[in-house]
């Protein structure tokens, strides 16, 4: 079964050094769970200041800057994994570095037939990896290599 591990925390709580360390640990975790056959995708999110919220009311599109709800913790990233059951998904979630500073929500992913297959798409001149249940990685090998080289 697929699970999404939603990572929440105060986006202003980490220093730049702590953020870099968290990213390095997250990449290492992704490599570990990939080796164990659980990894489907993972990615941090840009700060909420770059977000937009969209609502449709009375047939009109309403767009506001930032997240819709004001909260102490913001959605900062995710892991999409394959796990045998909730207990296994929770065990993996407990290994996410931000679990020590924030909250990791573990949720089963509902399967929906008719969705497009995963693969590589070109968007605005850049290659983008689209993820489905077939184990496609959201981070390219070059990006992984660049992350390792920064250590």
């Amino acid at each position: 079964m697929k699970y999404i591990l939603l990572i929440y925390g105060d986006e202003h709580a980490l220093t730049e050094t702590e953020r870099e360390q968290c990213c390095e640990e997250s990449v290492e975790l992704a490599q570990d769970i990939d080796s164990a056959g659980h990894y489907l995708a993972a990615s941090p999110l840009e700060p909420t200041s770059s977000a937009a919220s969209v609502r449709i009311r009375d047939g009109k599109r309403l767009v506001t800057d930032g997240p819709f709800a004001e909260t102490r913790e913001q959605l900062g990233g995710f892991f999409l994994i394959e796990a045998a059951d909730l207990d296994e998904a929770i065990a993996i979630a407990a290994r996410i570095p931000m679990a020590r500073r924030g909250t990791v929500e573990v949720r089963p992913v509902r399967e929906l037939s008719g969705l497009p297959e995963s693969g590589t798409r070109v968007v605005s001149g850049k290659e983008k990896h689209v993820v489905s249940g077939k184990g496609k990685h959201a981070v390219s090998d070059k990006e992984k290599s660049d992350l390792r080289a920064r250590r």
Side-chain angles (χ1 to χ4, degrees):
M1 170 155 234
K2 290 181 199 161
Y3 290 87
I4 191 158
L5 313 178
L6 300 170
I7 305 163
Y8 292 92
D10 180 344
E11 64 186 5
H12 303 293
L14 300 178
T15 66
E16 190 57 34
T17 302
E18 290 171 324
R19 187 176 318 285
E20 287 174 13
Q21 179 65 34
C22 183
C23 287
E24 288 175 13
E25 289 179 36
S26 294
V27 168
E28 289 173 13
L29 173 61
Q31 295 294 332
D32 288 348
I33 65 176
D34 185 46
S35 296
H38 298 294
Y39 181 84
L40 296 174
S43 188
L45 300 176
E46 293 294 335
T48 57
S49 60
S50 66
S53 295
V54 178
R55 294 176 286 151
I56 304 295
R57 299 294 183 269
D58 298 322
K60 294 183 182 176
R61 183 181 73 175
L62 305 171
V63 180
T64 55
D65 291 338
F68 179 68
E70 292 294 323
T71 61
R72 283 188 33 222
E73 294 184 326
Q74 297 81 36
L75 179 61
F78 71 93
F79 276 79
L80 181 63
I81 64 167
E82 184 75 38
D85 55 32
L86 182 60
D87 290 336
E88 186 174 48
I90 289 170
I92 293 170
R95 297 173 56 199
I96 294 174
M98 278 304 293
R100 297 188 297 263
R101 304 277 301 256
T103 303
V104 178
E105 179 181 345
V106 179
R107 258 194 188 176
V109 174
R110 191 179 295 175
E111 294 294 328
L112 186 60
S113 64
L115 294 177
E117 289 296 316
S118 66
T120 302
R121 309 277 193 275
V122 176
V123 180
S124 302
K126 295 182 181 178
E127 219 176 61
K128 298 289 181 183
H129 299 275
V130 181
V131 179
S132 80
K134 301 201 179 201
K136 296 287 183 186
H137 297 274
V139 178
S140 71
D141 289 337
K142 182 183 180 329
E143 290 169 314
K144 289 177 190 176
S145 176
D146 290 346
L147 285 169
R148 285 189 202 110
R150 283 195 277 160
R151 286 190 219 162

